[in-house]
Amino acid sequence: MMSDNKTKSTKPADKTPPKSPADPTRERATKRLSYESNSSHEGAMAAELTALEEAFRKFAIHGDTRATGKEMHGKNWSKLCKDCHVIDGKNVTITDVDIVFSKIKGKSSRTITFDQFKEALQELSKKRFKDKSNEEAIQEIHKLIEGKAPIISGVTKTISSPTVSRLTDTSKFTGSHKERFDPSGKGRGKAGREDLVDASGYVPGYKHAGTYDHKVQGSK
């Protein structure tokens, strides 16, 4: 019988070097570099915000802790127009501001985006700066808003009136109230609130207390 001369095919050896165990330190460094790269990119994007958009965001989040700054409600839109003097009471009134807001926003929406905000300003610029070209009017109205922030109102101011002055003038106090302050108007503290026993030996109210020794020595 003829011997089987068929050669058996041999599987080629895998020359790919075995993977080395992952280095935790190297992986952490790679992740850190990736995070820093993303952070720097986000920082660059934030730096690209225009002064107008920055003002828009400040007014958009005013009084609303849940606001993202990407959309603005009608109330904050009106405040922006007041605080930045877009409303001048002549060419632009609060009614004009409300009408433009209703015109620009969507029918079912209660807010406007930054792009819609710019459209609204363009509408108002035609009324606010009638003597300028469209481009110049837009630039002027942007200047009124750029770099601005909401004005905080409601701060209590000191009221000056004769009545208040009379009530706070300690030199005009009488009775027990007068005893609570010295001649300069400074409070006496506990001594002005409680009756302290006078152990000096003089009658209360005696004006020459403490002058006896001085008089005796002066006569010798």
Side-chain angles (χ1 to χ4, degrees):
M1 293 179 66
M2 296 179 61
S3 62
D4 188 7
N5 293 328
K6 294 180 179 180
T7 58
K8 295 180 179 181
S9 59
T10 58
K11 187 177 181 181
D14 187 3
K15 297 182 180 181
T16 304
K19 294 183 179 179
S20 59
D23 186 355
T25 305
R26 186 174 181 180
E27 288 185 355
R28 287 196 296 268
T30 303
K31 290 181 179 179
R32 186 180 71 253
L33 290 173
S34 176
Y35 173 77
E36 291 176 352
S37 177
N38 292 334
S39 299
S40 62
H41 176 69
E42 292 175 358
M45 292 294 290
E48 292 176 0
L49 290 178
T50 63
L52 183 66
E53 188 171 0
E54 187 67 24
F56 171 83
R57 292 194 174 192
K58 289 180 180 179
F59 277 94
I61 63 175
H62 177 69
D64 188 356
T65 57
R66 296 177 297 177
T68 61
K70 296 180 179 180
E71 296 179 339
M72 180 181 292
H73 287 274
K75 181 179 179 181
N76 289 15
W77 157 253
S78 298
K79 179 172 178 59
L80 180 146
C81 292
K82 290 178 182 177
D83 291 356
C84 299
H85 304 292
V86 174
I87 298 175
D88 62 354
K90 296 180 180 179
N91 297 328
V92 177
T93 64
I94 185 64
T95 303
D96 296 323
V97 169
D98 293 339
I99 291 174
V100 169
F101 183 83
S102 299
K103 177 182 177 182
I104 296 299
K105 74 177 183 64
K107 292 182 179 180
S108 60
S109 178
R110 300 175 61 184
T111 60
I112 57 174
T113 62
F114 179 65
D115 290 335
Q116 291 174 320
F117 169 72
K118 290 191 292 184
E119 291 180 25
L121 292 181
Q122 186 175 356
E123 289 286 336
L124 291 177
S125 66
K126 300 174 185 178
K127 296 176 65 65
R128 183 66 168 80
F129 301 98
K130 294 180 179 180
D131 57 339
K132 297 183 180 296
S133 65
N134 290 340
E135 185 177 351
E136 291 176 340
I138 293 174
Q139 291 177 354
E140 290 297 326
I141 202 168
H142 283 188
K143 289 179 182 179
L144 293 176
I145 300 170
E146 290 174 348
K148 300 296 179 59
I151 298 175
I152 307 300
S153 60
V155 179
T156 304
K157 297 182 179 180
T158 303
I159 300 175
S160 179
S161 68
T163 303
V164 174
S165 300
R166 184 176 71 255
L167 294 174
T168 56
D169 187 357
T170 58
S171 64
K172 297 181 180 179
F173 287 2
T174 59
S176 60
H177 298 289
K178 184 177 181 179
E179 300 299 326
R180 297 177 59 184
F181 300 91
D182 61 17
S184 66
K186 184 178 180 180
R188 298 176 184 268
K190 185 177 180 179
R193 298 192 303 270
E194 298 182 0
D195 294 332
L196 302 179
V197 178
D198 185 2
S200 64
Y202 291 96
V203 177
Y206 181 61
K207 297 181 179 180
H208 303 290
T211 61
Y212 176 77
D213 293 337
H214 178 70
K215 289 180 179 181
V216 171
Q217 292 177 0
S219 60
K220 290 182 179 179

